[in-house]
DNA sequence: CTCGCTTCCTAAAGGCTTTAAGAATTTGGA
DNA sequence: TCCAAATTCTTAAAGCCTTTAGGAAGCGAG
C-alpha cells in the first residue's frame, strides 16, 4: 500500500478548508484522518497533538488574512486605507468563517507559537500603516492600533455570530463605524 | 439514597463557576455530574443536552453582566457613563474569564434562545443609555451601539487572550481608547 | 398509604484523543 | 545496486466524553 503523503502542512491546510466547509467544531483529528484515507494514529507522526494542529491553523490563517489586508492596503492612505483594511478584514471573515473562528484565541496566552507571534506583529505593522496617514503621534500608536484591532475583530465576531440580530443594515453600520473611527483618528485626543 | 437535588438552574450556576475556576474547556457534563455526586446520565433529566446547558450559561452570564453594567451606569451621563460602562464590562470579563468565554458565540446564529435574545436587548438598551447623553441622533444609534459593543468586546477578548502581548500598558490603552470613543461620539459624523 | 411523577442508576453504544509496538515503505550512502 | 536507517502507517488498547434506553427508588398529592 503506497503512502498517503500526509504532511503537517497538508494537514493544516486541510483543517482550514474543513473549518470553512463543515464548521470549526467538526474539524477533528479523526475527520482529518478520514479525509486523507489514513488511520487517526498516523497523524501523530506529523503533528504533536490536536492542540499543535490548532496552533498551526491559527498561524496559517493569520498569515492569509495579513496577505489580504496588505494587498488591499497597497497604495492607499488616510481614510481610503482605513476603509480598505477594514473591508478586506471583514470580507475575509465572512468568506471564511471557519478559518476566522479558528483564530479566536480559546483563552490561553503563553501558548502562542513563534509563528503566531510573528503573524500578530505583521497585523500590528499593517495597522500602523494606517495610522501613518493620520499623523497619530508615535506614543499614541499602541492604543490606536488596539482601538482598530478591537473594533474590527469585535464587529466581525458579533456579526458572524448573529449578535446584530437582523435589525438594521450591517453594511450601513459598518460604514458609519468607519466614519466614526476616521473622526477619532483625525482628532486623536491629546495626551 | 436521598436525592442530590440537581436542577437546571443549579447546573447552570455550577457550570458558570466551574468555567471561571477550571477554564471553560474543562466544564463538561461528566465533570458537573462528579461535582454533584451524581451519574452523568442523571443530568439528562434536567437538561436536554450539553448544548442546552451551554445556552443556559450564556443567558445567565449575559444577565449577570448586564446587572453589573446597569449598576455602574446608575446616575451617570456623558463620558462618565461611557467610562463606567466600559469599566464594568472589562472588570467583569477579567474577574470571570470562564464566564466571559462562555459568552463568545461559537458561531451559530439561530441557536439563540429567547432568554439570550432578551439579554442581548438589555445590553443594547444599556448601551443606548450612554448615547442619550451624547445626543447621537436616533437614526445613528444602531451603528453607534455597534461601535461600542464591538470595541469593548473586541478589546476584552484580545486582552484576555494575550493578544496584546505584554507590550505597552493595557490599562493606559484602554483609557486612551475611551478618550477616542468619547471624541467620536461627541463628533458623530453627520449622515 | 399508595399512585404517579420525577430523579437517579446501570448498561451500553459510539466518537474522540493519545500512546505503544511493530510492519511496510522510502531514501541515501556504501 | 542493495541494504540499513529513518519515516510513515497500522493494529491494539486505554481513557474520556455524550447520549439513549430501561428500570428502581424517592417524594408529594390525594
Amino acid at each position: 500500500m503506497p503512502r498517503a503523503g500526509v504532511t503537517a502542512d497538508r494537514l493544516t491546510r486541510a483543517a482550514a478548508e474543513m473549518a470553512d466547509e463543515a464548521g470549526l467544531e467538526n474539524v477533528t483529528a479523526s475527520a482529518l484522518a478520514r479525509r486523507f484515507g489514513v488511520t487517526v494514529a498516523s497523524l501523530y507522526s506529523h503533528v504533536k497533538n490536536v492542540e499543535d494542529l490548532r496552533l498551526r491553523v491559527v498561524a496559517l490563517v493569520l498569515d492569509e488574512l495579513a496577505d489580504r489586508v496588505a494587498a488591499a492596503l497597497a497604495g492607499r492612505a488616510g481614510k481610503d486605507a482605513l476603509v480598505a483594511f477594514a473591508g478586506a478584514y471583514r470580507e475575509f471573515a465572512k468568506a471564511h468563517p471557519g478559518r476566522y473562528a479558528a483564530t479566536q484565541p480559546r483563552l490561553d496566552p503563553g501558548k502562542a507559537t513563534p509563528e503566531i507571534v510573528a503573524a500578530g506583529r505583521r497585523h500590528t505593522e499593517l495597522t500602523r500603516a494606517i495610522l501613518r496617514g493620520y499623523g497619530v503621534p508615535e506614543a499614541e500608536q499602541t492604543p490606536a492600533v488596539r482601538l482598530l484591532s478591537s473594533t474590527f475583530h469585535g464587529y466581525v465576531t458579533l456579526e458572524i455570530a448573529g449578535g446584530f440580530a437582523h435589525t438594521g443594515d450591517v453594511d450601513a453600520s459598518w460604514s458609519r463605524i468607519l466614519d466614526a473611527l476616521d473622526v477619532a483618528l483625525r482628532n486623536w485626543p491629546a495626551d
Side-chain angles (χ1 to χ4, degrees), chain A residues 19-59:
Chain A
D20 283 338
E21 292 161 8
L24 184 60
E25 68 280 5
N26 293 318
V27 19
T28 68
S30 305
L32 271 176
R34 259 174 255 131
R35 177 157 173 155
F36 278 88
V38 147
T39 310
V40 207
S42 305
L43 303 191
Y44 289 77
S45 294
H46 306 279
V47 141
K48 193 156 147 287
N49 52 33
V50 166
E51 173 77 355
D52 177 23
L53 179 62
R54 213 198 89 220
L55 294 175
R56 285 170 192 265
V57 173
V58 172

Side-chain angles (χ1 to χ4, degrees), chain A residues 12 25 34 47 55 59 77 128-129 131 137 140 164 167 179:
Chain A
T12 305
E25 68 280 5
R34 259 174 255 131
V47 141
L55 294 175
R128 270 177 186 265
L131 302 181
E140 294 293 325
F164 297 150
T167 86
D179 291 341

Side-chain angles (χ1 to χ4, degrees), chain A residues 17 20 23 41 51 119-120 125 177:
Chain A
E17 286 165 20
D20 283 338
E51 173 77 355
E125 283 315 312
I177 285 179

Side-chain angles (χ1 to χ4, degrees), chain A residues 6-190:
Chain A
V6 177
T7 292
D9 280 338
R10 302 234 263 161
L11 281 177
T12 305
R13 285 194 296 269
E17 286 165 20
M18 197 178 268
D20 283 338
E21 292 161 8
L24 184 60
E25 68 280 5
N26 293 318
V27 19
T28 68
S30 305
L32 271 176
R34 259 174 255 131
R35 177 157 173 155
F36 278 88
V38 147
T39 310
V40 207
S42 305
L43 303 191
Y44 289 77
S45 294
H46 306 279
V47 141
K48 193 156 147 287
N49 52 33
V50 166
E51 173 77 355
D52 177 23
L53 179 62
R54 213 198 89 220
L55 294 175
R56 285 170 192 265
V57 173
V58 172
L60 169 68
V61 174
L62 286 181
D63 262 333
E64 291 178 341
L65 178 50
D67 289 343
R68 307 292 186 94
V69 168
L73 217 46
R76 297 179 201 275
K79 186 174 180 185
D80 207 31
L82 176 68
V83 170
F85 182 120
Y89 192 95
R90 180 163 171 249
E91 288 313 316
F92 181 87
K94 296 217 289 186
H96 304 287
R99 277 174 156 89
Y100 192 76
T103 279
Q104 313 268 78
R106 300 265 162 298
L107 199 52
D108 293 288
K111 281 198 177 172
T113 64
E115 287 79 13
I116 292 178
V117 173
R121 244 192 298 268
R122 226 185 129 200
H123 281 258
T124 301
E125 283 315 312
L126 288 168
T127 311
R128 270 177 186 265
I130 293 179
L131 302 181
R132 224 164 286 138
Y134 279 99
V136 173
E138 186 65 33
E140 294 293 325
Q141 296 214 344
T142 293
V145 164
R146 289 173 180 178
L147 167 62
L148 296 180
S149 307
S150 300
T151 307
F152 296 160
H153 174 63
Y155 193 93
V156 161
T157 298
L158 293 175
E159 179 181 5
I160 290 181
F164 297 150
H166 280 279
T167 86
D169 184 341
V170 285
D171 290 329
S173 288
W174 181 249
S175 190
R176 301 307 281 143
I177 285 179
L178 292 179
D179 291 341
L181 289 175
D182 177 60
V183 167
L185 291 177
R186 275 193 286 104
N187 304 286
W188 191 263

